Amino acid sequence: MSKKKKLAAAVFILAVIALNVFIVLHRGAGDRNLTIRMTVESAQNAVVQVYYTADTDFSEAMSEKKEYTGNGNPQELTFAIAPGTKALRIDLGDKTESFLISDLEISFHSQKGTLIKQDQLELYEIKGISEFAKTDGSWLVDTTGSDPYLVFAVDTEDLSAASARYGNRVDFLLNAAMLLILDGGVAAAFFFRKKVFSLPVELFHNRALIFSLSKNDFKTKYAGSYLGIVWAFVQPIVTILVYWFVFSVGLRAGNVMDYPFVLYLISGIVPWFFFQDALNGGTNALIEYNYLVKKVVFKISVLPIVKIISALYVHGFFVIFSLIICACYGYFPSLYTLQLIYYSACTFMLVLGLVYATSAIVIFFRDLSQIIGIFLQVGIWLTPIMWDLSILSDHPLLMKLFKLNPMYYIVSGYRDSMLSHVWFTEHWGWTLYFWVVTIALFGLGTVIFKRLKVHFADVL
């Protein structure tokens, strides 16, 4: 190995080590919260709110609300509290009603297993309660409807140390998993850099041809129909209207994360439409342009990206459409809106890596198109587009599994840009994860494409 290569390898290794140290020091602590679980039974629906504090003052900022909708049947409710909690306050709606509270326990946020039991809580203050009785480890509470609540003393001092140890284990496992993905992706990109980066260079040199073909593809896609390219916009709009009607009118879905459901839906489904259209079109690009694939002198590597750029034109329209709808509800464009360019680029790169693999494989395995169709049907539900991921707050490991979906990062980014006004740098850990996965997929896709392309003309 020459001195130049040794120096480059040394610099590369030092950079990876520095990045590893940065992640370990700044990734953040694991989830050290505790959870209160209780079974509530009442004849009427009610809002149950739990406050927690380390001193004597209760505030809305340190509380959580859950709605009891059991209509006379037992329902388990869960609430997150901090380990240093010294006092708990349980508010029981605003009606005159009887409540049966049982199976109350305090445990780690992501694990069941009793740390503090119901009979270990010491009642020291009540208000708006006409009767409080303990029966067989349960509480029978009759409220007067005048801001009724129960205040309990709870000692979580020992739990704080146990929670910290548990959180440290979670930190270690998450850091190890993240570093394994990161280092593996970086190492693969370094050792296969010639194969991985040769394709981007080829695409750059043929950029004029790519844009010319993409414009022609967009114009001719609906040629021959009366409405022409209008059909490219009609189907997504109808889909949005159907989802809005079913959830808002049929299921009476209210606000999601304090945003009107229609805005939450549109901001999440617009990037999914782009991903879906680009993946379907890119996968079948070589089959559709088989007459070009058979030409020896034609650069067939440009065909998958042609389909993605063609889908990008429609995506641009829907981004503008989304911004107009958001503005009608008072969420006007701002500097954060510029992030949509970045998140569109994220979607572009993610789907590009995928279609280089799928467009090559589908030539030899035509069933792949049907499999991708099923994947997209399921994927729209696995990505929190029409529902809020926070409903899985009682299952943090399951939440993390959902977040491993790269489209979660993109969908959340669109919402951050249009609604929440959050910079992508505030989620640097997930940003790093997304790009490691995307680069790895792109590298794998290019290797598969190059290995199989010599046989394309023969099979087609």
Side-chain angles (χ1 to χ4, degrees):
M1 184 183 291
S2 65
K3 289 184 178 180
K4 199 172 183 179
K5 289 185 177 180
K6 288 182 180 179
L7 180 61
V11 171
F12 171 77
I13 292 172
L14 289 174
V16 172
I17 292 174
L19 188 57
N20 279 245
V21 172
F22 178 80
I23 290 175
V24 171
L25 294 178
H26 296 86
R27 194 195 63 81
D31 187 1
R32 292 180 170 83
N33 280 348
L34 301 174
T35 287
I36 295 180
R37 290 183 174 87
M38 68 179 78
T39 300
V40 178
E41 185 176 348
S42 179
Q44 301 184 62
N45 293 344
V47 175
V48 179
Q49 186 170 8
V50 170
Y51 293 83
Y52 57 93
T53 182
D55 44 44
T56 58
D57 297 325
F58 294 103
S59 66
E60 290 288 335
M62 300 177 70
S63 71
E64 188 174 2
K65 293 180 181 180
K66 290 293 175 69
E67 188 172 356
Y68 169 77
T69 57
N71 289 317
N73 299 311
Q75 178 182 340
E76 185 180 78
L77 303 179
T78 59
F79 306 84
I81 65 170
T85 295
K86 298 292 185 183
L88 293 172
R89 172 176 148 179
I90 302 177
D91 285 31
L92 298 170
D94 56 0
K95 302 175 183 176
T96 301
E97 189 52 70
S98 293
F99 292 88
L100 180 65
I101 300 176
S102 59
D103 301 326
L104 188 149
E105 66 175 29
I106 299 178
S107 61
F108 285 128
H109 189 45
S110 57
Q111 293 182 340
K112 286 195 175 183
T114 305
L115 300 176
I116 293 181
K117 296 183 179 180
Q118 185 165 343
D119 56 8
Q120 293 175 296
L121 299 178
E122 178 186 351
L123 177 66
Y124 71 85
E125 183 183 352
I126 63 174
K127 179 186 175 183
I129 306 295
S130 60
E131 182 179 352
F132 176 81
K134 295 182 179 180
T135 57
D136 299 328
S138 302
W139 299 332
L140 181 61
V141 184
D142 291 340
T143 68
T144 64
S146 177
D147 190 24
Y149 63 76
L150 307 163
V151 180
F152 299 89
V154 55
D155 184 7
T156 61
E157 185 175 351
D158 294 336
L159 295 184
S160 298
S163 179
R165 289 194 298 270
Y166 170 73
N168 289 335
R169 291 197 298 270
V170 172
D171 287 348
F172 175 79
L173 292 174
L174 291 177
N175 284 334
M178 182 177 289
L179 294 179
L180 182 64
I181 295 172
L182 172 66
D183 295 346
V186 172
F190 179 78
F191 288 113
F192 299 101
R193 59 190 181 278
K194 290 184 178 179
K195 293 182 178 180
V196 172
F197 295 110
S198 61
L199 183 58
V201 172
E202 185 176 306
L203 295 177
F204 178 77
H205 289 158
N206 292 277
R207 59 189 182 279
L209 175 63
I210 291 172
F211 283 107
S212 176
L213 287 174
S214 64
K215 286 189 289 185
N216 184 67
D217 181 88
F218 179 70
K219 291 177 182 178
T220 59
K221 188 174 183 179
Y222 300 96
S225 60
Y226 285 108
L227 296 180
I229 61 173
V230 173
W231 289 114
F233 311 105
V234 169
Q235 183 177 351
I237 291 176
V238 170
T239 302
I240 291 173
L241 290 175
V242 168
Y243 283 137
W244 170 81
F245 180 83
V246 169
F247 284 92
S248 291
V249 180
L251 299 179
R252 299 187 181 279
N255 291 356
V256 183
M257 294 177 61
D258 297 327
Y259 305 116
F261 177 77
V262 66
L263 300 188
Y264 188 84
L265 170 64
I266 290 176
S267 59
I269 206 168
V270 163
W272 181 264
F273 283 151
F274 177 34
F275 175 78
Q276 176 180 265
D277 194 17
L279 183 59
N280 278 327
T283 297
N284 296 299
L286 300 181
I287 296 175
E288 184 176 336
Y289 288 100
N290 63 82
Y291 58 92
L292 293 177
V293 176
K294 296 174 184 178
K295 293 182 179 293
V296 179
V297 296
F298 186 80
K299 297 289 186 180
I300 59 175
S301 57
V302 307
L303 295 177
I305 197 173
V306 163
K307 285 291 186 180
I308 300 176
I309 295 177
S310 177
L312 188 60
Y313 298 140
V314 179
H315 179 62
F317 165 82
F318 278 102
V319 167
I320 296 173
F321 172 77
S322 302
L323 293 176
I324 293 173
I325 298 297
C326 289
C328 292
Y329 281 82
Y331 294 88
F332 297 98
S334 63
L335 281 176
Y336 296 94
T337 308
L338 296 176
Q339 292 184 125
L340 292 174
I341 300 173
Y342 163 74
Y343 286 112
S344 295
C346 290
T347 314
F348 187 95
M349 292 304 301
L350 174 65
V351 76
L352 182 62
L354 290 172
V355 299
Y356 270 114
T358 58
S359 64
I361 296 172
V362 76
I363 294 177
F364 305 92
F365 181 61
R366 297 298 176 97
D367 291 348
L368 182 61
S369 294
Q370 309 304 321
I371 294 173
I372 289 176
I374 296 173
F375 162 77
L376 291 172
Q377 281 184 321
V378 176
I380 194 172
W381 297 103
L382 294 180
T383 307
I385 292 175
M386 286 155 284
W387 56 282
D388 182 9
L389 190 60
S390 63
I391 64 175
L392 298 177
S393 58
D394 299 331
H395 307 279
L397 293 179
L398 188 58
M399 285 183 67
K400 288 183 173 64
L401 287 176
F402 274 97
K403 290 182 178 180
L404 291 177
N405 174 4
M407 280 304 296
Y408 170 81
Y409 172 77
I410 293 171
V411 167
S412 299
Y414 271 69
R415 291 189 175 125
D416 287 342
S417 304
M418 295 182 186
L419 305 176
S420 306
H421 292 173
V422 177
W423 292 111
F424 75 93
T425 52
E426 296 186 30
H427 307 297
W428 69 267
W430 288 111
T431 299
L432 183 62
Y433 164 80
F434 172 83
W435 283 109
V436 168
V437 171
T438 299
I439 292 172
L441 289 174
F442 182 79
L444 179 64
T446 56
V447 170
I448 292 175
F449 189 87
K450 286 181 176 293
R451 289 283 181 89
L452 297 179
K453 75 174 183 179
V454 294
H455 305 290
F456 291 165
D458 296 334
V459 175
L460 290 173

